[in-house]
Amino acid sequence: MGPVVAVVPPRFWHFFLILSMGFVGINGQVNRWLNAHATYYGADQSPSTLGGACGYDNTIHAGFGVNTAAVSGVLFRGGQACGACYQLMCDYRADPKWCLRHATVTLTATNFCPPNNHGGWCDPPRQHFDMSMPAFFRIARQGNEGIVPILYKRVACKRRGGVHFTLKGQSNFNMVMFSNVGGSGDLKGAWVRGSRTKTWIAMQRNWGANWSSSVDLRNQGLSFKLTLVDGRTQLFFNVVPSSWSFGQTFSSRNQFY
């Protein structure tokens, strides 16, 4: 008798394909839902001002809108998470009273939720999202003033327009805030090149989304090279004209996708 061949129904393969696609992460790796908790903050202030420890003066101008969150130290990673995107859903099975069923929200990490070292929700090793009020009530019921269990995963950031470059500092201290970054959204490395220097100069993360160098680049056109945490690198040539001044923001034509 010959070998027995099992025939798998087509519907099984269709289900398996959908299931597999649902677990592909932002850089082609497996990306599963993880457990965490969420609260909200900023009820008495504009959600656009919640840039905090990342240095975004206005999250709308930075390209992130009002769906933002402060994340605990495990997620914040010393500022490396600034600009990263997460998809969240309230864990309806764990808390059907306050969770909205099947509702999800995609938000950007723009702030740091500090620990209090007394068992607080942002104490290590807890993974916690202190969300803007508009984002929180997209997944939780109105009237809940406390905390809800959530599921979250990293997702690619879908931005409108190009990367934003905000020039800060003075004289030979140059600091640039990078915002509206697509792809994984979080930067691992940054370089700047002046129109007269001709070489790429490594920048260091000063704090949050602000990167600095100690080379005088005034009166030069500026180009940038950015590397994301997922390893992707992109060049942004001549994005800043030589007539720039501190305080200005410029936008590139290209973007991470």
Side-chain angles (χ1 to χ4, degrees):
M1 186 176 67
V4 177
V5 178
V7 178
V8 181
R11 284 179 297 179
F12 173 83
W13 292 112
H14 179 69
F15 171 78
F16 179 78
L17 178 61
I18 293 176
L19 186 64
S20 300
M21 290 175 65
F23 285 88
V24 175
I26 58 173
N27 55 358
Q29 298 179 348
V30 174
N31 189 19
R32 59 190 176 88
W33 290 97
L34 301 172
N35 292 292
H37 285 84
T39 48
Y40 74 90
Y41 74 133
D44 57 347
Q45 61 188 119
S46 169
S48 67
T49 63
L50 306 180
C54 288
Y56 305 121
D57 298 329
N58 185 300
T59 62
I60 293 177
H61 294 165
F64 306 137
V66 297
N67 290 332
T68 62
V71 295
S72 59
V74 172
L75 297 170
F76 192 67
R77 308 189 313 277
Q80 194 175 79
C82 292
C85 294
Y86 301 84
Q87 187 176 38
L88 277 61
M89 71 167 65
C90 202
D91 190 347
Y92 184 83
R93 286 188 176 183
D95 191 351
K97 179 180 179 180
W98 293 114
C99 288
L100 294 175
R101 196 169 190 173
H102 304 310
T104 64
V105 63
T106 298
L107 51 74
T108 302
T110 61
N111 206 347
F112 172 54
C113 183
N116 63 17
N117 300 316
H118 296 289
W121 287 105
C122 289
D123 284 1
R126 288 176 169 170
Q127 301 179 75
H128 188 82
F129 293 80
D130 199 16
M131 305 166 63
S132 69
M133 189 169 65
F136 184 84
F137 286 120
R138 290 188 61 181
I139 61 173
R141 299 183 191 280
Q142 295 276 353
N144 176 27
E145 305 300 329
I147 185 168
V148 293
I150 63 166
L151 301 171
Y152 80 93
K153 64 180 178 179
R154 283 293 309 274
V155 294
C157 300
K158 298 179 180 179
R159 306 299 189 198
R160 292 184 178 180
V163 175
H164 296 174
F165 304 81
T166 301
L167 305 175
K168 304 179 179 182
Q170 56 185 350
S171 63
N172 65 337
F173 175 72
N174 295 280
M175 190 162 67
V176 181
M177 182 183 73
F178 303 106
S179 60
N180 202 48
V181 180
S184 69
D186 43 1
L187 292 178
K188 182 173 66 175
W191 294 260
V192 62
R193 188 176 76 179
S195 54
R196 294 197 304 271
T197 59
K198 302 298 183 181
T199 58
W200 290 108
I201 301 165
M203 306 182 74
Q204 292 76 40
R205 187 188 302 276
N206 192 285
W207 64 280
N210 296 280
W211 293 69
S212 62
S213 68
S214 55
V215 179
D216 191 348
L217 296 171
R218 289 174 295 177
N219 302 313
Q220 296 188 59
L222 304 179
S223 300
F224 294 91
K225 179 169 65 172
L226 302 180
T227 297
L228 303 180
V229 169
D230 66 9
R232 296 172 59 195
T233 298
Q234 191 154 171
L235 302 176
F236 301 86
F237 288 113
N238 304 316
V239 70
V240 176
S242 59
S243 58
W244 65 269
S245 59
F246 293 113
Q248 289 184 297
T249 298
F250 299 89
S251 181
S252 66
R253 293 184 178 180
N254 52 329
Q255 177 63 276
F256 290 97
Y257 295 105

